[in-house]
Structure formats: C-alpha cells, structure tokens
Amino acid sequence: VHRANRWFASSKLCSACGAKHQKLTLSVREWVCIECGAIHDRDINASINILHDLRHTVGATEIYAHRDTRGVSRSACEAQLL
C-alpha cells in the first residue's frame, strides 16, 4: 500500500498542464485552469493527479483504484484517466 503525501496539492494542480492554482478554496467544486483552459471537477482532477503522482513515485505502470463514479459516466471517467 502506498499513500499520497498529505500535503500534495492534488486538487489545486491542473491535471492537463500541471499549473498550480493556489487560491482555490474547498467550496470550489469545479474550476477552469487559467493556464490551459481545461475544465475540472475538483475530485476527479485530484484523483487523476494522485494516480499520476503514484505512477511517478512507485514506478508502476498499472495502478488499480476504487472510484466513486456516481453521477459521472463511465466513458467520462475513463477519458479523464488516460
């Protein structure tokens, strides 16, 4: 079992370009990256960033994670994780 760093800014990093957005508050659930224009759901973006971080840290090519996908189509989740 590998754990992400507690202070890793997973929800504040754009998973598309890597820009960090310091001023996001917990009440912001969806946001647009000011660098690349990508539209993010805070939780999905954070999960993508955590998976990228674990792949880099652990060096794994396959990481399996349980996702709560209620309200999100399967194809949308799969597209986000690619």
Side-chain angles (χ1 to χ4, degrees):
V1 172
H2 295 278
R3 294 177 189 237
N5 181 321
R6 178 180 180 162
W7 304 111
F8 177 56
S10 61
S11 59
K12 294 183 177 186
L13 287 176
C14 173
S15 59
C17 74
K20 188 172 181 180
H21 301 279
Q22 293 286 357
K23 297 186 180 189
L24 287 179
T25 62
L26 288 174
S27 63
V28 176
R29 305 313 302 162
E30 293 181 351
W31 57 277
V32 178
C33 177
I34 58 175
E35 297 292 325
C36 71
I39 301 169
H40 296 292
D41 172 278
R42 184 183 189 100
D43 296 331
I44 292 174
N45 181 63
S47 66
I48 293 167
N49 285 327
I50 290 168
L51 285 173
H52 284 276
D53 184 60
L54 286 173
R55 285 182 181 145
H56 174 74
T57 304
V58 178
T61 56
E62 293 184 26
I63 295 176
Y64 301 96
H66 172 73
R67 292 188 312 254
D68 181 358
T69 57
R70 289 176 285 187
V72 180
S73 71
R74 181 182 173 131
S75 59
C77 287
E78 290 171 350
Q80 291 269 344
L81 292 172
L82 295 178

